[in-house]
Amino acid sequence: MKLLSFLFLFCTLSLQAQFQINGIVKDAQTKKVLPFATIATENGTVSIADVDGKFSYSLPSQPEILKISYVGYSTQTISIFEKKNYFTVLLSPETDALQEVVISTENPANDIIRKVILGKNNNNPLKKLQTFQYKTYNKLLVTANPDSISGRIDTVFTDVTTKDKIIKIDSSDYKFKKLIAKQHLFLTEKVSQFQFEKPLLKETILGTKMAGFKEPIYELLGFSLQSSSVYDDKYELFETKYKSPIADKALKEYRYKILDTTTIANRNVVVVYFKHKISRKGLEGLLYIDLENYAIAKAVMRIRSVLNITGTHEFKYLSEEKVWFPMRKNFKIIKGKSKEPTAVLGGRIEFAAEDDDENQIQKKASDFTYLASDMQVYDLQINPKLKIKKSSIAIDIKANANNKEDAFWQQNRTDSLDTRSERTYVVLDSVVTKEKIEKKIKFGRKIINGYLPFGPFDFDLRYLLSYNNYEGFRLGIGGVTNEQFSKIFRLEGYTAYGLKDEKSKYHLGSAFRIGNFSNTWIGGSYTDDVREIASTNFAIDKKAFKLYDPRPINISTFYNHQTWRTFIETKIIPKTESIWQIAHSDVTPLFDYTFVYDDKLYRNFAMTSAMVAIQWNPFSDYMQTPNGKIEYEKRYPKFTFQLTKSLSNLFNNDFEFGKIDARIEYEKKYLNGQKSAFLLQGGYVFGDLPLTHLYNTSPNNLTKDNLLQRITIAGKNSFETMYFNEFFSTEFVMLQFKHGFKRVELFKKVKPSLVLVTRMAWGNLKNPEDHIGIEFKTLDQGFFESGVELNQIYKGLGLTGFYRYGPNQLARLEDNIAIKLSFVLDLGL
């Protein structure tokens, strides 16, 4: 809901004189609505009712009659001279048609759909054609129809006790109607060039204009409103994927019915209505199917939930290539009705459930607000000679795309802007400038990521305050310079002080940007700080901002490191982020520990190593903006790999070693609001390394006798029943499975989210006798735990419980149980 709320806050709309006809089509006997009935005027203009049987017809002049038809029903003609604002049309079933349905043993619509499925590859332009390119003009707006809003200033009602009439002054609808009649709430335009070289389709944004913004919100340009192809097995509406009505096994999940026959581009087509057998899981709509080649000539896709979403695809028949090519896409989203909230756009937008207040009959003005998008294709070229550059980038935004002159827009707009649209730009530009909204958005983004901007410097909020059992409360300050300081050079640093260990720590670093497209930086740093022993750190991971970090609260064993580091970080390899570095560290364990290596005893040691860390997201989509590369469509699985190797002859290196670390992450979201997550991670040490740099597999349980004394805060991917410093490994592998169910409302403010969790790990430690001063076990027999998380029971707080079992189960039952608190900070972003 946040994005739409953001769009709607631009309450900053002229309506051309047209004749409006509204109504609904129903069965005369059952009074059930007839979805997608055909409505035609005497001059041949045809429209289709929606899935609820409702129609809204805007015409430049008043027609005399309307003809309403529906397959299996008698056609009815109504006179428009009747003084009505709303028509209820009742159609009577035809007796012959009903008898035909009863006698037929095979649904003819199913046979047609079967032929469509068989011919998909031959009719899909992305499969049949080798290359093509075209330009598109896209207009997206948030607006409302002023005629739908009452706009009355005064509300009259009667007091139940005194029977007196009371006038309540309520001007909100009136003000909204007055506003919406002059301008839209939000407007953005985009001109793109699409290039296809089988099998790659790339969009290059040539021009973009967003009302109120000098620089557009680039993430908004990457939102997937609807699928580009109707032939995909999964059809996407508003970043949610549904089983397509022409998927390979669609006949098992959808019902079909022939509604009508008509012509498009002088070719005979049949109109087939489809609906998923389980309505909440699938689509509903119309397919216009060419009766000669069984290709899609037009499609209407609809989903009804808290959001009512409709996507329309229109095609043009190319006689030489014998293929229907998509030429126009429409998308509309309005508020629906549901007792359950629905989240879309990865949770960035959430529409609340309807209240159970039966007295709330009248709609608010804002309920008539809708989002609409229209994309039209022009300058189509089939089979041109082309070579797609930077093929790993799905959307490439030209550097001057947001600075196009009026001549560019006049040349590329398919229709000139109306008065409402023109006024939208003027008003929103003024409002955004006056209210400094662009600056507020940038400020909000910084805060969400954990930074407080102050002029050319961003203070890092993660350094302000933390706690662990060694340092006690840790106070600090730090940050990094931002683009106001320089776009090609940055300085970073922090300093911190532990109240318990009474020691200062600090970090200083700088870097130069040497590549814009690849976002390549080369730099160096020096750090004097402490770190948890045997912790696994992927250098490529960005340190997430948390108001609290629960795991370090319980950690007591650290080592101090003084590290010089030089590095290159880059995205030059397609769909990857990588860091290449050389580092030298002087390490001092801050606990009783001695390492035996080549018959020598080491209490302090020096290590020099080279490292490369790469994260590869092969299924994600990337957008190249003037400010850098954005992963705008995150998809799984994701792969992370890290290799570390000692450098024997560089500086003062005490050990010969190497480390390989790898991780695979996978998430799957379901239409019913559930989510499954899978994590596979492993590490291997070859050579000799002290305990400080081995693996502890992320334990999170205190060594206390009483169960209640061990209640702390649960971590994200840590072993909740594994005690700190209980196991160490030179090689390990761990698996984690999570399945989260949709939140359930037990009471008005109690909505827990149930998550089932299972974790397991195996490992081994070579030469355990070389590690003196600390007692530990190995994971050669495996470690297993399972549990339940009840997250967000009340205002983010939750409760979790885990049980330890298998070969490393402890003798006392109580010691195998861990009860933890959980806290999920939901910013609604």
Side-chain angles (χ1 to χ4, degrees):
M1 192 61 189
K2 295 297 180 184
L3 176 61
L4 285 186
S5 296
F6 160 72
L7 295 177
F8 292 168
L9 72 85
F10 296 103
C11 294
T12 50
L13 295 175
S14 116
L15 186 64
Q16 298 177 356
Q18 290 186 328
F19 188 78
Q20 187 79 17
I21 306 172
N22 302 306
I24 189 170
V25 184
K26 295 183 177 182
D27 185 303
Q29 297 178 0
T30 65
K31 299 301 186 289
K32 290 184 178 180
V33 298
L34 298 177
F36 305 113
T38 301
I39 298 96
T41 64
E42 69 268 19
N43 60 5
T45 305
V46 178
S47 180
I48 300 292
D50 66 13
V51 70
D52 299 314
K54 296 178 181 179
F55 60 90
S56 182
Y57 225 152
S58 294
L59 295 168
S61 60
Q62 180 176 343
E64 294 184 5
I65 61 170
L66 283 184
K67 289 186 177 181
I68 295 88
S69 60
Y70 196 80
V71 171
Y73 288 77
S74 300
T75 300
Q76 184 174 333
T77 301
I78 61 173
S79 173
I80 302 304
F81 289 107
E82 297 180 45
K83 301 298 182 181
K84 288 185 178 181
N85 294 325
Y86 195 84
F87 292 87
T88 299
V89 183
L90 302 177
L91 299 184
S92 300
E94 293 180 344
T95 307
D96 293 342
L98 290 175
Q99 290 175 349
E100 182 179 346
V101 172
V102 173
I103 295 171
S104 175
T105 58
E106 171 68 89
N107 182 356
N110 287 0
D111 185 54
I112 292 173
I113 294 298
R114 194 174 291 111
K115 292 177 180 178
V116 172
I117 294 172
L118 290 174
K120 281 194 300 181
N121 288 343
N122 191 50
N123 291 318
N124 185 355
L126 297 175
K127 299 286 187 181
K128 188 172 185 177
L129 302 177
Q130 295 299 314
T131 64
F132 57 76
Q133 70 177 20
Y134 56 84
K135 290 182 180 179
T136 64
Y137 168 73
N138 180 253
K139 181 179 177 180
L140 183 149
L141 54 85
V142 178
T143 187
N145 183 356
D147 291 339
S148 301
I149 305 167
S150 172
R152 293 172 58 188
I153 298 181
D154 300 329
T155 300
V156 180
F157 62 95
T158 304
D159 187 281
V160 175
T161 307
T162 64
K163 305 298 182 181
D164 294 334
K165 290 186 176 181
I166 302 173
I167 299 177
K168 178 184 177 183
I169 304 300
D170 182 5
S171 62
S172 58
D173 284 7
Y174 172 78
K175 291 179 179 179
F176 184 74
K177 180 173 182 175
K178 188 177 179 181
L179 169 75
I180 216 75
K182 295 180 180 179
Q183 66 184 78
H184 304 299
L185 299 176
F186 180 75
L187 172 64
T188 181
E189 297 175 278
K190 180 177 68 171
V191 174
S192 300
Q193 181 184 58
F194 284 83
Q195 293 180 308
F196 175 75
E197 184 183 13
K198 197 174 184 178
L200 298 173
L201 179 65
K202 179 180 178 178
E203 178 184 5
T204 301
I205 297 179
L206 306 175
T208 179
K209 195 174 183 181
M210 192 171 288
F213 292 88
K214 295 179 181 178
E215 185 176 34
I217 303 172
Y218 293 115
E219 292 86 349
L220 185 62
L221 300 178
F223 286 154
S224 181
L225 298 179
Q226 62 191 122
S227 290
S228 58
S229 174
V230 296
Y231 291 101
D232 295 338
D233 272 1
K234 294 286 187 179
Y235 183 85
E236 191 166 9
L237 270 180
F238 216 28
E239 292 200 334
T240 302
K241 291 186 176 181
Y242 304 89
K243 188 73 167 284
S244 168
I246 56 171
D248 290 343
K249 298 181 180 179
L251 286 164
K252 294 182 179 179
E253 299 188 29
Y254 280 89
R255 295 187 178 94
Y256 305 90
K257 179 180 181 181
I258 295 176
L259 293 186
D260 204 353
T261 57
T262 184
T263 60
I264 299 178
N266 296 319
R267 295 179 66 86
N268 294 324
V269 298
V270 60
V271 184
V272 175
Y273 166 70
F274 63 87
K275 184 177 182 179
H276 199 277
K277 294 178 180 178
I278 305 175
S279 59
R280 59 185 173 85
K281 287 189 176 182
L283 300 163
E284 186 175 8
L286 297 177
L287 295 174
Y288 293 70
I289 300 168
D290 189 318
L291 286 172
E292 182 179 331
N293 58 13
Y294 294 95
I296 304 299
K298 183 178 178 180
V300 179
M301 307 288 192
R302 177 82 181 268
I303 191 72
R304 292 190 292 174
S305 185
V306 172
L307 306 177
N308 287 339
I309 309 172
T310 303
T312 304
H313 299 254
E314 298 180 15
F315 297 76
K316 176 183 178 181
Y317 186 71
L318 305 180
S319 55
E320 187 174 335
E321 290 78 17
K322 296 182 179 180
V323 67
W324 287 89
F325 196 89
M327 296 298 292
R328 188 169 186 174
K329 291 197 304 182
N330 301 96
F331 176 90
K332 188 173 183 180
I333 174 172
I334 62 176
K335 185 178 179 181
K337 185 175 182 179
S338 175
K339 292 186 178 181
E340 295 181 353
T342 296
V344 293
L345 288 176
R348 290 186 288 269
I349 299 177
E350 181 173 303
F351 283 79
E354 290 287 316
D355 294 332
D356 291 330
D357 186 0
E358 296 180 356
N359 298 322
Q360 208 169 19
I361 299 173
Q362 187 173 357
K363 288 186 176 182
K364 299 178 182 178
S366 57
D367 289 337
F368 295 98
T369 303
Y370 64 87
L371 182 150
S373 172
D374 182 72
M375 187 190 80
Q376 298 187 48
V377 172
Y378 62 100
D379 288 354
L380 173 64
Q381 299 177 42
I382 302 298
N383 294 326
K385 292 183 179 179
L386 59 84
K387 183 68 177 177
I388 295 180
K389 298 178 181 179
K390 302 176 184 176
S391 58
S392 62
I393 302 297
I395 301 177
D396 191 359
I397 303 176
K398 292 296 185 181
N400 64 342
N402 62 323
N403 295 315
K404 293 297 184 180
E405 300 291 338
D406 289 341
F408 170 86
W409 292 105
Q410 292 172 7
Q411 180 182 353
N412 288 280
R413 285 183 181 125
T414 52
D415 294 307
S416 59
L417 289 184
D418 58 16
T419 307
R420 290 171 75 190
S421 298
E422 290 177 349
R423 181 174 170 80
T424 302
Y425 278 119
V426 174
V427 174
L428 288 189
D429 288 348
S430 174
V431 169
V432 170
T433 302
K434 182 179 179 181
E435 300 295 330
K436 299 180 180 180
I437 291 176
E438 275 191 288
K439 289 185 178 180
K440 291 177 181 178
I441 290 174
K442 290 180 180 179
F443 181 85
R445 286 179 172 178
K446 297 276 189 179
I447 292 294
I448 291 167
N449 291 314
Y451 293 95
L452 177 65
F454 186 79
F457 193 78
D458 293 342
F459 287 96
D460 194 328
L461 302 176
R462 294 169 295 189
Y463 297 128
L464 292 178
L465 178 66
S466 60
Y467 180 87
N468 61 67
N469 278 338
Y470 176 78
E471 296 177 281
F473 284 102
R474 171 175 166 140
L475 307 176
I477 189 171
V480 60
T481 56
N482 56 39
E483 60 277 0
Q484 290 186 33
F485 177 80
S486 175
K487 290 186 177 182
I488 62 171
F489 178 68
R490 74 179 186 225
L491 293 170
E492 62 184 27
Y494 67 81
T495 182
Y497 182 79
L499 297 182
K500 185 176 180 180
D501 69 334
E502 299 182 339
K503 294 289 179 65
S504 296
K505 298 90 181 172
Y506 66 94
H507 165 86
L508 292 172
S510 64
F512 288 92
R513 187 177 190 173
I514 60 174
N516 185 46
F517 170 75
S518 60
N519 197 29
T520 300
W521 294 78
I522 182 170
S525 66
Y526 176 76
T527 305
D528 184 347
D529 206 340
V530 297
R531 180 177 293 173
E532 177 192 359
I533 67 170
S535 56
T536 303
N537 296 293
F538 287 92
I540 199 67
D541 287 348
K542 296 176 178 63
K543 188 178 179 182
F545 170 57
K546 302 176 181 177
L547 289 181
Y548 77 104
D549 193 0
R551 232 187 122 261
I553 292 174
N554 306 317
I555 300 172
S556 301
T557 46
F558 290 81
Y559 66 89
N560 172 261
H561 67 101
Q562 298 172 356
T563 301
W564 292 93
R565 171 177 174 257
T566 182
F567 65 89
I568 296 176
E569 58 183 46
T570 182
K571 298 179 181 179
I572 195 169
I573 304 173
K575 299 198 174 186
T576 68
E577 297 180 48
S578 61
I579 293 179
W580 310 69
Q581 75 173 37
I582 295 176
H584 173 80
S585 298
D586 292 309
V587 178
T588 302
L590 300 175
F591 60 101
D592 183 18
Y593 174 70
T594 303
F595 180 51
V596 181
Y597 178 71
D598 280 350
D599 297 325
K600 294 181 181 179
L601 302 180
Y602 288 86
R603 279 282 303 148
N604 307 298
F605 31 85
M607 303 169 67
T608 305
S609 62
M611 184 209 70
V612 56
I614 299 177
Q615 180 167 306
W616 180 40
N617 308 324
F619 303 103
S620 293
D621 287 332
Y622 287 83
M623 174 192 297
Q624 182 68 43
T625 77
N627 299 330
K629 199 179 297 184
I630 297 174
E631 183 188 2
Y632 73 92
E633 185 71 43
K634 296 182 180 181
R635 296 192 181 100
Y636 293 88
K638 296 187 174 190
F639 304 89
T640 308
F641 174 82
Q642 184 167 289
L643 173 63
T644 308
K645 181 67 178 69
S646 61
L647 300 175
S648 307
N649 302 317
L650 190 62
F651 301 113
N652 179 25
N653 181 58
D654 290 330
F655 313 121
E656 287 292 329
F657 68 91
K659 287 182 74 175
I660 299 175
D661 297 285
R663 180 179 65 199
I664 300 175
E665 300 170 275
Y666 180 78
E667 288 186 6
K668 181 177 176 59
K669 295 181 180 179
Y670 304 92
L671 296 178
N672 58 8
Q674 300 183 33
K675 183 176 79 169
S676 296
F678 167 81
L679 173 65
L680 173 63
Q681 184 171 322
Y684 180 80
V685 173
F686 50 93
D688 296 281
L689 265 179
L691 196 72
T692 53
H693 289 69
L694 299 183
Y695 303 108
N696 63 12
T697 57
S698 193
N700 194 32
N701 204 13
L702 295 175
T703 309
K704 303 283 186 179
D705 288 334
N706 190 288
L707 176 62
L708 297 179
Q709 292 178 318
R710 297 197 300 271
I711 295 179
T712 56
I713 301 176
K716 182 180 179 182
N717 297 320
S718 53
F719 283 85
E720 302 301 334
T721 61
M722 183 185 293
Y723 295 92
F724 285 100
N725 302 332
E726 185 179 4
F727 298 94
F728 291 98
S729 306
T730 52
E731 54 201 63
F732 85 101
V733 62
M734 67 89 68
L735 288 168
Q736 176 181 272
F737 300 93
K738 283 188 175 184
H739 184 80
F741 295 87
K742 193 172 183 178
R743 295 183 70 178
V744 178
E745 183 174 355
L746 300 180
F747 304 101
K748 188 173 182 179
K749 294 185 179 181
V750 179
K751 301 177 182 179
S753 170
L754 173 65
V755 181
L756 304 180
V757 185
T758 293
R759 299 186 183 99
M760 57 197 75
W762 296 267
N764 184 42
L765 180 64
K766 294 180 289 188
N767 305 319
E769 66 278 2
D770 291 343
H771 307 280
I772 302 172
I774 186 170
E775 294 184 5
F776 57 86
K777 297 184 288 187
T778 62
L779 286 170
D780 54 302
Q781 296 185 62
F783 186 94
F784 305 87
E785 73 173 22
S786 295
V788 175
E789 297 178 355
L790 283 175
N791 297 320
Q792 296 175 284
I793 296 175
Y794 182 74
K795 293 189 175 180
L797 288 172
L799 188 66
T800 71
F802 287 86
Y803 181 70
R804 172 174 172 167
Y805 55 94
N808 276 295
Q809 187 176 35
L810 301 175
R812 199 169 67 142
L813 175 63
E814 186 179 356
D815 294 336
N816 297 300
I817 299 172
I819 297 175
K820 304 289 180 71
L821 300 175
S822 68
F823 183 76
V824 178
L825 178 65
D826 186 3
L827 296 175
L829 303 164

